[in-house]
Amino acid sequence: MFYKVRTESRELKIMEVLNARADLSEKDKRNYFTLRKGYEGEIQFDNMLERLQCDCLILSDLLLRASNSTFQIDSLIIVSNTVYLFDIKNYEDDYVWDAVDNRMLKKPDFEITNPLTQLKKNEQHFRKWLQEHKLDFPVVASVVFVNPRFTLYQASPDLPFIFPTQIERDVIERLNSNSAKLTHKHKKFADQLINSHINENPYSQIPAYEYEELRKGIMCTNCSSISVFLDGKFCICPDCGHKETVEAAVIRTAEEFRLLFPERKLTARTLMEYSKVINNQKRMSRILEKHFTMVGKNRWVHYI
């Protein structure tokens, strides 16, 4: 049972928009693609967890704090006698484990952040979190590599790594073999975790951006093109052919504007300028009035 579902982070949502509307630096582009690939891997793992039939609580994407340290847990699963922590990696291509120096290399010799070090830190922080909340649960932590195009050479079987071909056996079947039922204690524990979740990631790397610098227009929800044009009651993307009702496109673009500029007032005129597709203020106002709360009167009207 998914007790806390996964959603795109605010950082990823903003970076998706900036990738389409701004000229990102190479560093920011790499950050965006890393975030996107990581999220896709996490969703892939969530889809696998749909096959769980045991009595369990699944909490996705937790950001917690213990002893003034903030740490993230990609997936946490509570069963009757154990808490499982999973750090999900969507790596692909060939890697080598260097046991001598305890490091991981992408072939031929590019060193990456050691997933084992990350896992141990997260596990230590989580155990500290349990202590601070006077809780006592056995913890098992693993790194899960979800991409079938991933290979790690020279890895010891003793490492807490679960490879793509092992997920069915070492996660799904192992958890499903637990027939014990959860109690009120487990649900209370899950609620404590959710209540402790931090919404804003202090380590987010969103670059500075200005309204005037962004490309204006409606962004295609399918291919992220900013070339969408109006055709009657529909918005059509000339690049991929995706078709969307004007109303849906306006609502989505209004939400995007509020995400990027929460300090600015959302008005019909502002959204017309930002979307550059609808040039009829009355039509824009009707859509906004239908889906948002109108505040103020006459020329001071805006929507929340």
Side-chain angles (χ1 to χ4, degrees):
M1 171 185 176
F2 281 90
Y3 202 66
K4 180 183 180 296
V5 298
R6 193 182 311 279
T7 58
E8 283 191 354
S9 67
R10 177 176 177 272
E11 180 182 12
L12 177 54
K13 289 178 180 178
I14 290 178
M15 291 303 294
E16 283 180 324
V17 177
L18 295 183
N19 186 57
R21 294 189 182 273
D23 297 317
L24 294 177
S25 67
E26 287 303 314
K27 177 183 176 182
D28 290 328
K29 284 182 180 179
R30 286 195 300 271
N31 178 45
Y32 164 63
F33 289 122
T34 298
L35 288 171
R36 167 49 55 192
K37 192 170 184 64
Y39 180 74
E40 289 171 353
E42 292 163 359
I43 292 297
Q44 184 178 341
F45 187 64
D46 291 345
N47 291 337
M48 296 175 186
L49 295 183
E50 293 281 0
R51 300 199 296 274
L52 286 177
Q53 298 175 347
C54 60
D55 194 8
C56 65
L57 296 173
I58 305 169
L59 288 80
S60 303
D61 197 19
L62 284 168
L63 191 63
L64 304 171
R65 183 177 290 117
S67 298
N68 297 320
S69 295
T70 303
F71 62 101
Q72 183 172 348
I73 299 173
D74 293 336
S75 288
L76 180 149
I77 301 179
I78 302 170
V79 295
S80 62
N81 56 357
T82 309
V83 177
Y84 291 90
L85 308 185
F86 296 105
D87 193 2
I88 303 161
K89 300 300 181 186
N90 193 16
Y91 298 160
E92 59 181 296
D93 297 324
D94 294 337
Y95 292 75
V96 177
W97 181 258
D98 180 355
V100 175
D101 294 324
N102 195 37
R103 60 181 185 158
M104 189 165 164
L105 304 172
K106 183 175 182 180
K107 278 194 168 185
D109 58 2
F110 180 75
E111 184 171 357
I112 66 168
T113 301
N114 190 334
L116 182 58
T117 302
Q118 286 182 311
L119 179 72
K120 288 182 176 179
K121 285 183 179 179
N122 283 344
E123 183 180 358
Q124 289 170 356
H125 289 320
F126 183 68
R127 291 184 186 278
K128 184 63 178 178
W129 185 92
L130 290 174
Q131 291 175 4
E132 291 177 356
H133 289 78
K134 295 179 172 56
L135 295 168
D136 184 21
F137 287 93
V139 177
V140 175
S142 306
V143 179
V144 181
F145 300 96
V146 297
N147 197 313
R149 295 173 60 86
F150 167 80
T151 302
L152 180 61
Y153 295 96
Q154 300 176 12
S156 167
D158 296 332
L159 292 170
F161 292 167
I162 299 174
F163 300 111
T165 55
Q166 299 172 323
I167 295 174
E168 182 67 30
R169 182 194 66 202
D170 291 351
V171 179
I172 307 302
E173 292 181 7
R174 176 175 295 178
L175 290 176
N176 278 340
S177 67
N178 190 321
S179 60
K181 298 297 182 181
L182 298 181
T183 66
H184 176 72
K185 178 184 74 171
H186 298 97
K187 183 178 182 300
K188 184 179 178 181
F189 171 40
D191 289 335
Q192 284 180 277
L193 286 166
I194 292 174
N195 291 334
S196 299
H197 172 69
I198 302 167
N199 290 315
E200 289 297 324
N201 189 341
Y203 304 119
S204 65
Q205 302 178 52
I206 301 172
Y209 56 90
E210 299 292 338
Y211 176 83
E212 292 73 20
E213 298 172 350
L214 300 185
R215 286 183 278 274
K216 308 303 186 293
I218 289 180
M219 187 169 73
C220 175
T221 187
N222 184 57
C223 72
S224 299
S225 167
I226 310 292
S227 304
V228 170
F229 65 89
L230 187 67
D231 184 9
K233 294 183 178 181
F234 295 94
C235 286
I236 300 174
C237 176
D239 293 344
C240 71
H242 181 74
K243 190 175 182 180
E244 184 179 25
T245 66
V246 170
E247 186 168 327
V250 166
I251 297 165
R252 186 169 50 79
T253 307
E255 294 289 6
E256 177 190 304
F257 180 85
R258 296 205 303 175
L259 173 70
L260 292 179
F261 305 103
E263 75 286 354
R264 291 189 176 222
K265 290 183 178 179
L266 175 64
T267 68
R269 186 177 295 277
T270 299
L271 197 57
M272 285 170 58
E273 180 185 81
Y274 184 73
S275 64
K276 287 186 66 177
V277 171
I278 298 176
N279 56 12
N280 185 314
Q281 189 166 339
K282 287 186 177 180
R283 185 180 187 184
M284 182 68 80
S285 296
R286 282 198 301 270
I287 296 174
L288 291 174
E289 288 172 14
K290 184 177 178 182
H291 296 277
F292 298 90
T293 301
M294 185 170 67
V295 177
K297 293 182 179 181
N298 302 324
R299 61 194 179 112
W300 289 281
V301 166
H302 63 280
Y303 303 87
I304 60 175

Coordinates of all heavy atoms in Angstrom, one line a residue, residues 83-110:
V83 N 12.0 -2.3 8.7 CA 11.9 -1.2 7.9 C 12.9 -1.3 6.8 O 14.1 -1.4 7.1 CB 12.1 0.1 8.7 CG1 12.0 1.3 7.7 CG2 11.0 0.3 9.7
Y84 N 12.5 -1.3 5.5 CA 13.4 -1.4 4.4 C 13.6 0.0 3.8 O 12.7 0.7 3.5 CB 12.9 -2.3 3.3 CG 12.9 -3.8 3.8 CD1 11.8 -4.3 4.4 CD2 14.0 -4.6 3.6 CE1 11.8 -5.7 4.8 CE2 14.0 -5.9 4.0 CZ 12.9 -6.4 4.6 OH 12.9 -7.8 5.0
L85 N 14.9 0.4 3.7 CA 15.3 1.6 3.0 C 15.9 1.3 1.6 O 16.8 0.5 1.5 CB 16.3 2.5 3.8 CG 16.0 2.7 5.3 CD1 17.1 3.6 5.8 CD2 14.6 3.4 5.4
F86 N 15.4 2.0 0.6 CA 15.9 1.7 -0.8 C 16.4 3.1 -1.4 O 15.6 4.0 -1.5 CB 14.9 1.1 -1.7 CG 14.4 -0.3 -1.2 CD1 13.2 -0.4 -0.6 CD2 15.2 -1.3 -1.4 CE1 12.8 -1.7 -0.2 CE2 14.8 -2.6 -1.0 CZ 13.6 -2.8 -0.4
D87 N 17.7 3.1 -1.8 CA 18.3 4.2 -2.5 C 18.3 3.8 -4.0 O 18.9 2.8 -4.3 CB 19.7 4.5 -2.0 CG 20.2 5.8 -2.5 OD1 19.5 6.5 -3.2 OD2 21.4 6.1 -2.2
I88 N 17.5 4.5 -4.8 CA 17.3 4.0 -6.2 C 18.2 4.7 -7.1 O 18.3 5.9 -7.1 CB 15.8 4.3 -6.6 CG1 14.9 3.6 -5.6 CG2 15.6 3.8 -8.0 CD1 13.5 4.1 -5.6
K89 N 18.9 3.9 -8.0 CA 19.8 4.5 -9.0 C 19.4 4.0 -10.4 O 19.1 2.8 -10.6 CB 21.2 4.0 -8.7 CG 21.8 4.4 -7.4 CD 21.9 5.9 -7.2 CE 22.5 6.3 -5.9 NZ 22.4 7.8 -5.6
N90 N 19.3 5.0 -11.3 CA 18.9 4.7 -12.7 C 20.1 4.8 -13.6 O 20.1 5.4 -14.7 CB 17.8 5.7 -13.1 CG 17.2 5.3 -14.4 OD1 17.3 4.2 -14.8 ND2 16.5 6.2 -15.0
Y91 N 21.3 4.3 -13.1 CA 22.5 4.3 -13.9 C 22.3 3.3 -15.1 O 21.6 2.3 -15.0 CB 23.7 3.8 -13.1 CG 24.0 4.6 -11.9 CD1 24.8 4.1 -10.9 CD2 23.6 6.0 -11.8 CE1 25.2 4.8 -9.8 CE2 24.0 6.7 -10.7 CZ 24.7 6.2 -9.7 OH 25.1 6.9 -8.6
E92 N 23.0 3.6 -16.2 CA 23.1 2.7 -17.3 C 24.5 2.7 -17.8 O 25.4 3.5 -17.5 CB 22.1 3.0 -18.4 CG 22.2 4.4 -19.1 CD 21.2 4.6 -20.1 OE1 21.2 3.8 -21.1 OE2 20.3 5.4 -20.0
D93 N 24.9 1.7 -18.6 CA 26.2 1.5 -19.2 C 27.0 0.6 -18.2 O 26.5 0.1 -17.2 CB 26.9 2.8 -19.5 CG 26.2 3.5 -20.6 OD1 25.7 2.9 -21.5 OD2 26.2 4.8 -20.5
D94 N 28.3 0.5 -18.4 CA 29.2 -0.4 -17.7 C 30.0 0.4 -16.6 O 30.6 1.5 -16.8 CB 30.2 -1.0 -18.6 CG 29.5 -2.0 -19.6 OD1 28.4 -2.4 -19.3 OD2 30.1 -2.2 -20.6
Y95 N 30.0 -0.2 -15.4 CA 30.7 0.4 -14.2 C 31.6 -0.7 -13.6 O 31.4 -1.9 -13.8 CB 29.7 0.9 -13.2 CG 28.9 2.1 -13.6 CD1 27.9 1.9 -14.5 CD2 29.2 3.3 -13.1 CE1 27.1 3.0 -14.9 CE2 28.5 4.4 -13.5 CZ 27.4 4.3 -14.4 OH 26.7 5.4 -14.8
V96 N 32.6 -0.3 -12.9 CA 33.5 -1.2 -12.2 C 33.6 -0.8 -10.7 O 33.6 0.4 -10.4 CB 34.9 -1.1 -12.8 CG1 35.9 -2.0 -12.0 CG2 34.9 -1.5 -14.3
W97 N 33.5 -1.8 -9.8 CA 33.7 -1.6 -8.4 C 35.1 -1.8 -8.0 O 35.7 -2.9 -8.2 CB 32.8 -2.5 -7.6 CG 32.9 -2.3 -6.1 CD1 33.6 -3.0 -5.2 CD2 32.3 -1.2 -5.4 NE1 33.5 -2.4 -4.0 CE2 32.7 -1.3 -4.1 CE3 31.5 -0.1 -5.8 CZ2 32.3 -0.4 -3.1 CZ3 31.1 0.8 -4.8 CH2 31.4 0.6 -3.5
D98 N 35.7 -0.8 -7.4 CA 37.1 -0.8 -7.0 C 37.1 -1.1 -5.5 O 36.9 -0.2 -4.7 CB 37.8 0.5 -7.3 CG 39.3 0.5 -6.9 OD1 39.7 -0.5 -6.2 OD2 40.0 1.5 -7.1
A99 N 37.3 -2.4 -5.1 CA 37.2 -2.7 -3.7 C 38.4 -2.2 -2.9 O 38.3 -2.0 -1.7 CB 37.1 -4.3 -3.6
V100 N 39.5 -2.0 -3.6 CA 40.7 -1.6 -2.9 C 40.5 -0.2 -2.3 O 40.8 0.1 -1.1 CB 41.9 -1.6 -3.8 CG1 43.2 -1.0 -3.1 CG2 42.2 -3.1 -4.3
D101 N 40.0 0.7 -3.2 CA 39.8 2.1 -2.8 C 38.4 2.4 -2.4 O 38.0 3.6 -2.2 CB 40.3 3.1 -3.9 CG 41.8 3.0 -4.1 OD1 42.5 2.8 -3.1 OD2 42.2 3.1 -5.3
N102 N 37.5 1.4 -2.4 CA 36.1 1.5 -2.1 C 35.5 2.6 -2.9 O 34.9 3.6 -2.4 CB 36.0 1.8 -0.6 CG 34.5 1.6 -0.1 OD1 33.8 0.7 -0.6 ND2 34.1 2.4 0.8
R103 N 35.5 2.5 -4.2 CA 34.9 3.5 -5.1 C 34.3 2.8 -6.3 O 34.5 1.6 -6.6 CB 36.0 4.5 -5.5 CG 37.1 3.9 -6.3 CD 38.2 4.9 -6.6 NE 39.2 4.3 -7.5 CZ 40.0 5.0 -8.3 NH1 39.8 6.3 -8.4 NH2 40.9 4.4 -9.0
M104 N 33.5 3.6 -7.0 CA 32.8 3.1 -8.2 C 33.2 3.9 -9.4 O 33.2 5.2 -9.3 CB 31.3 3.1 -8.0 CG 30.5 2.4 -9.0 SD 28.8 2.2 -8.3 CE 27.9 1.8 -9.9
L105 N 33.5 3.3 -10.5 CA 34.0 4.0 -11.7 C 33.1 3.6 -12.9 O 32.7 2.5 -13.0 CB 35.4 3.5 -12.0 CG 36.5 3.7 -11.0 CD1 37.8 3.0 -11.4 CD2 36.7 5.2 -10.7
K106 N 32.8 4.6 -13.6 CA 32.1 4.4 -14.9 C 33.2 4.2 -15.9 O 34.1 5.0 -16.1 CB 31.2 5.6 -15.3 CG 30.4 5.3 -16.6 CD 29.5 6.5 -16.9 CE 28.7 6.2 -18.2 NZ 27.7 7.3 -18.5
K107 N 33.1 3.0 -16.7 CA 34.1 2.7 -17.6 C 34.4 3.8 -18.6 O 33.4 4.4 -19.1 CB 33.8 1.4 -18.4 CG 34.1 0.1 -17.6 CD 34.0 -1.1 -18.5 CE 34.6 -2.3 -17.8 NZ 34.6 -3.4 -18.7
P108 N 35.6 4.1 -18.9 CA 36.8 3.4 -18.5 C 37.3 3.8 -17.1 O 37.8 2.9 -16.4 CB 37.9 3.7 -19.6 CG 37.5 5.1 -20.0 CD 36.0 5.1 -20.0
D109 N 37.3 5.1 -16.7 CA 37.9 5.4 -15.4 C 37.3 6.7 -14.8 O 38.0 7.5 -14.2 CB 39.4 5.6 -15.6 CG 39.8 6.7 -16.7 OD1 38.8 7.3 -17.2 OD2 40.9 6.9 -16.9
F110 N 36.0 6.9 -15.1 CA 35.3 8.1 -14.5 C 34.7 7.8 -13.2 O 33.8 7.0 -13.1 CB 34.3 8.6 -15.5 CG 33.6 9.9 -15.0 CD1 34.2 11.1 -15.1 CD2 32.3 9.8 -14.5 CE1 33.5 12.2 -14.6 CE2 31.6 10.9 -14.0 CZ 32.2 12.2 -14.1

